[in-house]
Every structure is written in C-alpha cells, then in structure tokens.
Amino acid sequence: MAHPSQLGFQDAASPVMEELLHFHDHTLMIVFLISTLVLYIIVAMVSTKLTNKYVLDSQEIEIVWTVLPAVILILIALPSLRILYLMDEINDPHLTIKAMGHQWYWSYEYTDYEDLGFDSYMIPTQDLSPGQFRLLETDHRMVVPMESPIRVLVSAEDVLHSWAVPALGIKMDAVPGRLNQTAFITSRPGVYYGQCSEICGRNHSFMPIVVEAVPLEHFENWSSLMLEES
Amino acid sequence: MAVEGEEEKTKSFKLLGILDIQNTPCAREAVLHGSAASILVGLGHFLATSRVKRSFDFGVGGFMLTTLGSWFYCRYNNAKLRMQQKLIKDGLKNKVMYEGTSLDPTRKQNSSQGGGS
C-alpha cells in the first residue's frame, strides 16, 4: 500500500498493473535520455564561442529533428496501445460485483449466486484500532477470491464518483444512469486500498475502497457469514 | 518489514531526479554501459582528432545510443524470462490441480509418446 512521501507507484497486485509499471519504466528511460540530450544542448549553446547570424536553413538538422521525435513517439505508442487493448480484455470472469457510489460511501452487490449486498463506510479516525490506516479503512471490505478474474460493474446513485484501486491498476468512473465495466485478477492475496477519484461533495476524501483478496475457501466462508448476517 | 521496505525505497538514487536507478530493472546496467561507451567513444574521437567539443558531442551520442540499446536488450530478455516463469507457474499449477485425472498434462504427453512407438 501507499507509504508517506511516496512518489512512485505502489507494488503491482495484478498482471495489468505489472504491465503498466513496465511501460512506465520504458517511457521514463526515454524521458531521461531526452532530458540528458536537452541539458547537453543547453550547456553547449551557452558555452559556445561560435556565432553565425546568417544561418537561414539547414536540411539535415530539419530532417533529424522531424524523424527522431516521430520514431520516439512510435516507440512509446506501440507498447501503450498494447496495454490499452490488454486492459479492455474481459476473459470469462468467475464473479461479477456491482460497485455503486453514493454520497459518501460505496455499496457492493454480489448477485451472481445469492443476493448479497452491503455498504462500505469509512471508519472514522476516532474509531480506528491500533495498526489501522487513517482515512483508508472501511467497516466492510470488498472480498474477492484471489487469482480469479473478477468483473466489476461501476455506477453511482447520485453524483459522479470514481472507483479506483492503484495497486490493481484500476480506475473507473461511476456515472449515474450508466454502467461501466472493468475487470481484474489479483496475483496474490492481500488488502488493497483506494479512494474515490471524482469530486463528489464535502466527504469526497472520506469514502475509501478496500479490496481484500483471499483464497477461495475463505471467500466462500466470508460470503456465507455475510448472507447469515443480512 | 514495512519500515525496512520504506528505508530501501527512500535510499533510491534518481538520476536527474526522475530515473530510479536502484529500483528499476535494467536501468543501472543500461546507464553503466552507456557511460562506459560514452567515455570510450569520446576519448577515442579526441585521440584521433584532437577536437574537444566534437568529441563531447560524440560522447553524448554514444551514451544515448548505448544506453538505449542496452536498455532494450535487457528489457526484452527480462520480458522473455517473465513469460517463461509465468508458463512454468501455470504448468505447475495445472499439474498439481489435474494430477491423476484425464486432464493431467503429463498423461496426455505420455499417451501421445506411447501411441507413436
């Protein structure tokens, strides 16, 4: 999960997020090389004693600074498009969950087999137990079986919200009257935190998302318990 | 554990403030290869021509090309390795799950070999 003064991404917990991390590294290396080149050119321009006021054109340099940026853009665009289409693949999900945004909490519905639904409110700071995370913990987590493809249908009941979990590489807008679809597979068990990512009122910062990936037997036990409670 | 992980990440060294050499796979290798190539090419050009500024230009050019080449080569090999690891992991999982059943992958291979002989 996120730690204080973090600048980079969180560790990937899904294959899509791993691909995004690799793409980010690839693009950052290109950015680093371009920055080095620009820095060198600035130093060279500032320190040169040569001045020629009569240079009007130069075919060679024009070709270089047209072709090179085009090549760089292609080098960035190809992996980017690959990941874009990879993220759109929905391969036979085992479970479909509806995540509905409200002011100011999320509700989750597991309606594939039984009618299971619950609300997920943030735990206020004064009610936190030692070791729990401020503004991130919720009373009910969205529990999913690990290493299983999960489809999430995101929508909202009132205003715009956005369901985002950085560790899984997911962000999907929750639009009232519209059903948006996203899917993920968790590579490993764990607890993954996210926060509402579309301004939605005074408590926009206080409606977090917690996804808990557990082995299938634990998921089955949890869903039985939740059904009994409801 | 979390505190140690945070300490490791705070010790990361970022070139130009953006590229994390220590935590990005292949970055350190690529930059080292690029630096070595830039010194060799720059020095070699200077020894051949005695032109200082042009040698610097060649050095920077050599750095960029070598860094890029080393980076892509290393990332390609890493990607291949990751795919192989994924295939092995899936194969092991399938073997454990389906051992003794009709879907056992090793049983299919053995029956096809037996049919051939």
Side-chain angles (χ1 to χ4, degrees):
Chain A
M1 65 161 289
H3 58 81
S5 68
Q6 177 173 351
L7 290 178
F9 290 114
Q10 297 178 31
D11 290 340
S14 73
V16 163
M17 191 58 198
E18 284 175 24
E19 293 294 327
L20 285 168
L21 285 182
H22 292 300
F23 173 69
H24 175 261
D25 292 341
H26 162 81
T27 311
L28 205 59
M29 176 55 81
I30 293 175
V31 164
F32 167 72
L33 289 174
I34 293 172
S35 306
T36 309
L37 179 65
V38 167
L39 209 58
Y40 175 73
I41 291 173
I42 288 172
V43 169
M45 292 294 111
V46 161
S47 60
T48 188
K49 290 191 178 84
L50 300 170
T51 50
N52 187 344
K53 295 179 287 190
Y54 302 107
V55 173
L56 296 174
D57 63 359
S58 169
Q59 268 308 102
E60 297 82 9
I61 200 169
E62 294 269 355
I63 290 171
V64 167
W65 70 33
T66 305
V67 169
L68 200 57
V71 167
I72 290 170
L73 286 174
I74 290 171
L75 280 180
I76 295 173
L78 290 178
S80 170
L81 287 170
R82 178 185 153 264
I83 295 178
L84 190 66
Y85 285 96
L86 197 75
M87 287 165 74
D88 265 348
E89 283 181 7
I90 311 269
N91 292 325
D92 191 23
H94 294 175
L95 188 63
T96 299
I97 303 171
K98 293 185 214 39
M100 304 293 292
H102 308 258
Q103 281 178 312
W104 287 278
Y105 62 97
W106 292 94
S107 63
Y108 301 107
E109 297 166 31
Y110 295 61
T111 48
D112 277 350
Y113 305 107
E114 304 274 352
D115 211 0
L116 170 61
F118 54 90
D119 297 335
S120 177
Y121 281 86
M122 184 188 85
I123 298 179
T125 306
Q126 59 268 23
D127 297 340
L128 288 171
S129 310
Q132 285 190 310
F133 301 111
R134 191 180 72 95
L135 306 186
L136 287 176
E137 298 286 358
T138 55
D139 53 1
H140 295 109
R141 295 171 171 176
M142 185 179 113
V143 180
V144 297
M146 57 176 263
E147 292 182 349
S148 299
I150 311 286
R151 176 200 279 132
V152 184
L153 299 173
V154 183
S155 187
E157 295 280 9
D158 35 47
V159 298
L160 291 178
H161 300 272
S162 185
W163 197 80
V165 184
L168 302 175
I170 297 177
K171 186 179 291 182
M172 188 54 72
D173 280 356
V175 182
R178 180 182 170 87
L179 211 54
N180 280 331
Q181 176 182 248
T182 185
F184 64 91
I185 302 177
T186 50
S187 317
R188 49 192 166 83
V191 181
Y192 309 111
Y193 296 90
Q195 291 175 293
C196 179
S197 298
E198 185 67 42
I199 187 81
C200 55
R202 58 177 273 195
N203 283 344
H204 156 68
S205 310
F206 309 114
M207 47 182 292
I209 297 135
V210 185
V211 176
E212 185 175 349
V214 296
L216 185 59
E217 311 132 15
H218 291 75
F219 172 74
E220 286 168 351
N221 294 339
W222 168 84
S223 55
S224 308
L225 269 169
M226 292 295 287
L227 281 166
E228 280 168 20
E229 275 177 25
S230 61
Chain B
M1 272 308 267
V3 174
E4 285 173 13
E6 287 171 20
E7 281 178 11
E8 280 170 17
K9 292 206 171 168
T10 52
K11 279 184 199 159
S12 68
F13 178 67
K14 292 191 175 181
L15 277 183
L16 294 185
I18 54 173
L19 187 68
D20 188 347
I21 295 275
Q22 287 177 338
N23 294 321
T24 307
C26 296
R28 184 175 166 271
E29 202 180 271
V31 169
L32 285 174
H33 285 152
S35 307
S38 98
I39 290 171
L40 282 171
V41 167
L43 201 60
H45 187 270
F46 175 70
L47 290 173
T49 62
S50 299
R51 293 175 72 179
V52 177
K53 278 207 179 253
R54 187 50 59 94
S55 302
F56 270 109
D57 294 342
F58 270 82
V60 168
F63 170 78
M64 290 185 56
L65 287 173
T66 312
T67 304
L68 213 57
S70 171
W71 170 258
F72 280 125
Y73 177 74
C74 179
R75 295 289 286 195
Y76 174 75
N77 286 339
N78 262 17
K80 245 181 13 180
L81 201 64
R82 271 188 290 117
M83 290 305 292
Q84 284 170 354
Q85 285 170 346
K86 188 174 180 304
L87 285 171
I88 291 170
K89 188 178 152 196
D90 288 343
L92 282 171
K93 203 164 70 165
N94 285 340
K95 168 86 178 128
V96 166
M97 248 190 342
Y98 296 123
E99 194 169 21
T101 67
S102 58
L103 295 168
D104 187 349
T106 52
R107 177 181 286 191
K108 280 184 189 167
Q109 284 173 17
N110 289 341
S111 64
S112 65
Q113 282 168 8
S117 63

